[in-house]
Amino acid sequence: MNYRFLKKTFFFLFLLYMIIGCSSNPYKWESTQKAIYNSYKLQTGDIIIKDKLIDDPVSWLGHSSVMISDTHIGDFPMPGSDYYTISVRAWLNEPDRKVIVLRYPNFNQEFKEAFLKNVEKYGHGKYRTSFFKYNDTDFYCSKFVWFLFYKTAQDLGKNLDLDSDRGPIVFPYDFLNSQYLEQITL
Protein backbone atom coordinates (compact mmCIF):
# COMPACT_ATOMS: atom_id res chain seq x y z
CA MET A 1 0.00 0.00 0.00
CA ASN A 2 1.12 3.53 -0.76
CA TYR A 3 2.71 5.37 2.19
CA ARG A 4 1.26 8.72 1.06
CA PHE A 5 -2.26 7.19 0.97
CA LEU A 6 -1.83 5.77 4.49
CA LYS A 7 -0.58 9.11 5.76
CA LYS A 8 -3.56 10.98 4.27
CA THR A 9 -6.00 8.36 5.56
CA PHE A 10 -4.54 8.53 9.05
CA PHE A 11 -4.66 12.32 9.01
CA PHE A 12 -8.31 12.29 7.84
CA LEU A 13 -9.34 9.80 10.56
CA PHE A 14 -7.42 11.75 13.16
CA LEU A 15 -9.10 15.00 12.11
CA LEU A 16 -12.53 13.35 12.11
CA TYR A 17 -11.94 12.01 15.61
CA MET A 18 -10.86 15.43 16.84
CA ILE A 19 -13.95 17.09 15.38
CA ILE A 20 -16.58 14.70 16.70
CA GLY A 21 -14.82 13.10 19.65
CA CYS A 22 -15.25 14.00 23.29
CA SER A 23 -18.34 16.12 22.75
CA SER A 24 -20.72 14.84 25.43
CA ASN A 25 -20.38 15.92 29.05
CA PRO A 26 -22.60 16.87 31.99
CA TYR A 27 -21.36 20.46 32.20
CA LYS A 28 -23.16 23.70 31.50
CA TRP A 29 -21.51 26.07 29.03
CA GLU A 30 -21.37 29.73 30.05
CA SER A 31 -21.00 32.81 27.85
CA THR A 32 -17.61 34.45 27.79
CA GLN A 33 -19.30 37.70 28.81
CA LYS A 34 -20.63 36.07 31.98
CA ALA A 35 -17.15 34.64 32.63
CA ILE A 36 -15.61 38.11 32.24
CA TYR A 37 -18.19 39.62 34.61
CA ASN A 38 -17.48 36.88 37.18
CA SER A 39 -13.73 36.63 36.61
CA TYR A 40 -13.17 37.56 40.27
CA LYS A 41 -14.25 33.95 41.07
CA LEU A 42 -11.35 32.49 39.08
CA GLN A 43 -8.24 31.20 40.86
CA THR A 44 -4.73 30.11 39.98
CA GLY A 45 -4.94 26.59 38.53
CA ASP A 46 -8.45 26.89 37.11
CA ILE A 47 -8.77 25.34 33.66
CA ILE A 48 -10.90 27.15 31.09
CA ILE A 49 -12.26 25.26 28.08
CA LYS A 50 -13.56 27.19 25.07
CA ASP A 51 -16.17 25.54 22.87
CA LYS A 52 -15.85 24.54 19.24
CA LEU A 53 -16.96 26.97 16.54
CA ILE A 54 -18.48 25.13 13.58
CA ASP A 55 -17.55 27.79 11.03
CA ASP A 56 -13.91 28.04 12.17
CA PRO A 57 -11.86 24.87 11.48
CA VAL A 58 -9.06 26.09 13.78
CA SER A 59 -11.50 25.91 16.71
CA TRP A 60 -12.89 22.45 15.93
CA LEU A 61 -10.80 21.00 18.72
CA GLY A 62 -11.94 23.57 21.25
CA HIS A 63 -9.28 25.41 23.22
CA SER A 64 -8.06 25.22 26.78
CA SER A 65 -5.83 27.23 29.01
CA VAL A 66 -4.97 27.57 32.67
CA MET A 67 -4.97 30.39 35.17
CA ILE A 68 -1.35 31.06 36.18
CA SER A 69 -2.44 33.72 38.66
CA ASP A 70 -5.85 34.89 39.85
CA THR A 71 -5.99 37.34 36.92
CA HIS A 72 -3.86 35.89 34.09
CA ILE A 73 -3.85 32.95 31.70
CA GLY A 74 -0.81 31.05 30.40
CA ASP A 75 -1.51 29.95 26.84
CA PHE A 76 -0.14 28.16 23.80
CA PRO A 77 -2.69 29.69 21.38
CA MET A 78 -2.05 28.09 17.98
CA PRO A 79 0.56 26.44 15.77
CA GLY A 80 3.53 28.73 15.12
CA SER A 81 2.77 30.98 18.07
CA ASP A 82 4.87 31.47 21.17
CA TYR A 83 3.64 30.82 24.70
CA TYR A 84 2.30 33.99 26.25
CA THR A 85 0.45 35.30 29.28
CA ILE A 86 -2.62 37.46 29.00
CA SER A 87 -5.26 38.85 31.34
CA VAL A 88 -8.19 36.48 31.65
CA ARG A 89 -10.59 39.28 30.70
CA ALA A 90 -8.76 39.87 27.39
CA TRP A 91 -8.45 36.11 26.71
CA LEU A 92 -12.19 35.64 27.22
CA ASN A 93 -13.14 38.59 25.00
CA GLU A 94 -14.83 36.50 22.29
CA PRO A 95 -18.57 37.25 22.48
CA ASP A 96 -19.56 34.28 20.30
CA ARG A 97 -17.78 31.65 22.42
CA LYS A 98 -18.92 29.63 25.40
CA VAL A 99 -16.67 28.37 28.20
CA ILE A 100 -16.52 25.90 31.04
CA VAL A 101 -14.30 26.52 34.07
CA LEU A 102 -12.92 23.47 35.85
CA ARG A 103 -11.09 23.30 39.16
CA TYR A 104 -8.95 20.63 40.75
CA PRO A 105 -10.36 20.51 44.32
CA ASN A 106 -7.01 19.47 45.86
CA PHE A 107 -5.26 22.60 44.58
CA ASN A 108 -3.98 23.64 48.00
CA GLN A 109 -1.07 25.97 48.86
CA GLU A 110 1.56 23.22 48.53
CA PHE A 111 0.21 22.20 45.12
CA LYS A 112 -0.01 25.85 44.05
CA GLU A 113 3.64 26.57 44.90
CA ALA A 114 4.88 23.49 42.98
CA PHE A 115 2.48 24.28 40.12
CA LEU A 116 3.82 27.84 39.75
CA LYS A 117 7.40 26.52 39.71
CA ASN A 118 6.40 24.26 36.83
CA VAL A 119 4.70 27.14 35.01
CA GLU A 120 7.99 29.00 35.25
CA LYS A 121 9.99 25.96 34.10
CA TYR A 122 7.77 24.82 31.19
CA GLY A 123 5.96 28.03 30.16
CA HIS A 124 8.16 28.93 27.21
CA GLY A 125 8.73 28.11 23.59
CA LYS A 126 6.56 27.73 20.54
CA TYR A 127 3.41 25.71 20.10
CA ARG A 128 4.37 22.24 18.85
CA THR A 129 2.10 19.24 18.49
CA SER A 130 3.38 15.95 19.84
CA PHE A 131 1.94 12.47 20.01
CA PHE A 132 3.87 11.89 23.23
CA LYS A 133 2.13 13.68 26.07
CA TYR A 134 4.90 12.88 28.57
CA ASN A 135 7.47 14.82 26.51
CA ASP A 136 8.40 17.98 28.43
CA THR A 137 9.51 20.08 25.46
CA ASP A 138 6.59 20.05 23.00
CA PHE A 139 3.42 21.84 24.08
CA TYR A 140 0.06 22.81 22.67
CA CYS A 141 -2.85 24.30 24.62
CA SER A 142 -4.32 21.23 26.33
CA LYS A 143 -1.06 19.32 26.67
CA PHE A 144 0.47 22.26 28.54
CA VAL A 145 -2.45 22.31 30.98
CA TRP A 146 -2.37 18.52 31.41
CA PHE A 147 1.42 18.43 31.81
CA LEU A 148 1.45 21.13 34.50
CA PHE A 149 -0.97 19.14 36.66
CA TYR A 150 0.67 15.79 35.90
CA LYS A 151 4.20 17.05 36.66
CA THR A 152 3.17 18.99 39.75
CA ALA A 153 1.44 15.95 41.25
CA GLN A 154 4.47 13.81 40.34
CA ASP A 155 6.79 16.33 42.06
CA LEU A 156 4.65 15.96 45.19
CA GLY A 157 4.77 12.14 45.07
CA LYS A 158 1.25 11.69 43.69
CA ASN A 159 -0.30 10.33 40.51
CA LEU A 160 -2.72 12.59 38.66
CA ASP A 161 -3.91 12.19 35.09
CA LEU A 162 -6.58 14.70 34.08
CA ASP A 163 -6.84 13.14 30.59
CA SER A 164 -10.14 11.28 30.79
CA ASP A 165 -9.40 8.86 27.93
CA ARG A 166 -5.69 8.51 28.79
CA GLY A 167 -4.71 8.59 25.12
CA PRO A 168 -1.34 9.70 23.73
CA ILE A 169 -2.80 13.14 22.89
CA VAL A 170 -4.70 15.39 25.29
CA PHE A 171 -7.58 17.33 23.76
CA PRO A 172 -9.33 20.24 25.51
CA TYR A 173 -12.55 18.24 25.82
CA ASP A 174 -10.71 15.38 27.56
CA PHE A 175 -10.72 17.51 30.71
CA LEU A 176 -14.52 17.63 30.72
CA ASN A 177 -14.84 13.96 31.65
CA SER A 178 -11.98 13.88 34.16
CA GLN A 179 -12.95 12.41 37.51
CA TYR A 180 -10.53 14.80 39.22
CA LEU A 181 -12.08 18.10 38.12
CA GLU A 182 -15.28 19.91 39.03
CA GLN A 183 -17.05 22.75 37.30
CA ILE A 184 -17.01 26.20 38.83
CA THR A 185 -20.33 27.95 38.37
CA LEU A 186 -19.91 31.51 37.20
Side-chain angles (χ1 to χ4, degrees), residues 103-120:
R103 184 172 291 159
Y104 176 55
N106 296 324
F107 201 94
N108 58 23
Q109 189 61 32
E110 178 187 32
F111 197 95
K112 180 179 181 177
E113 289 171 11
F115 178 86
L116 291 174
K117 285 180 186 175
N118 283 325
V119 168
E120 197 63 35

Side-chain angles (χ1 to χ4, degrees), residues 76-150:
F76 279 90
M78 67 181 67
S81 295
D82 292 339
Y83 170 83
Y84 74 112
T85 61
I86 186 172
S87 78
V88 68
R89 295 172 73 84
W91 190 79
L92 288 168
N93 195 15
E94 292 183 78
D96 296 332
R97 297 293 287 267
K98 302 278 186 199
V99 296
I100 290 176
V101 179
L102 302 172
R103 184 172 291 159
Y104 176 55
N106 296 324
F107 201 94
N108 58 23
Q109 189 61 32
E110 178 187 32
F111 197 95
K112 180 179 181 177
E113 289 171 11
F115 178 86
L116 291 174
K117 285 180 186 175
N118 283 325
V119 168
E120 197 63 35
K121 183 175 182 178
Y122 299 105
H124 54 79
K126 285 196 179 289
Y127 182 116
R128 289 197 316 223
T129 304
S130 170
F131 290 99
F132 304 102
K133 69 182 180 185
Y134 299 100
N135 179 324
D136 66 358
T137 58
D138 300 333
F139 293 108
Y140 50 92
C141 69
S142 49
K143 183 190 171 197
F144 180 65
V145 173
W146 175 85
F147 190 83
L148 287 175
F149 281 88
Y150 170 80

Side-chain angles (χ1 to χ4, degrees), residues 11 34 40 44 67 86 93-94 108 143 147 152 169-170:
F11 178 74
K34 185 174 182 181
Y40 68 91
T44 303
M67 298 291 294
I86 186 172
N93 195 15
E94 292 183 78
N108 58 23
K143 183 190 171 197
F147 190 83
T152 300
I169 299 173
V170 183

Side-chain angles (χ1 to χ4, degrees), residues 6 38 40 48 51 64 103 110 128 137 155 170 174 184:
L6 284 175
N38 291 301
Y40 68 91
I48 304 177
D51 67 340
S64 62
R103 184 172 291 159
E110 178 187 32
R128 289 197 316 223
T137 58
D155 292 347
V170 183
D174 288 344
I184 301 305

Side-chain angles (χ1 to χ4, degrees), residues 5-56:
F5 174 76
L6 284 175
K7 190 174 176 182
K8 286 182 180 180
T9 302
F10 174 76
F11 178 74
F12 173 75
L13 292 174
F14 177 73
L15 186 60
L16 182 64
Y17 170 76
M18 293 181 353
I19 293 168
I20 63 174
C22 306
S23 61
S24 64
N25 62 70
Y27 298 108
K28 181 180 182 280
W29 291 92
E30 306 275 1
S31 74
T32 53
Q33 298 308 302
K34 185 174 182 181
I36 289 170
Y37 181 77
N38 291 301
S39 63
Y40 68 91
K41 294 181 180 181
L42 299 173
Q43 299 175 8
T44 303
D46 285 352
I47 299 168
I48 304 177
I49 312 293
K50 287 183 178 177
D51 67 340
K52 302 172 185 180
L53 296 174
I54 300 302
D55 60 342
D56 180 8

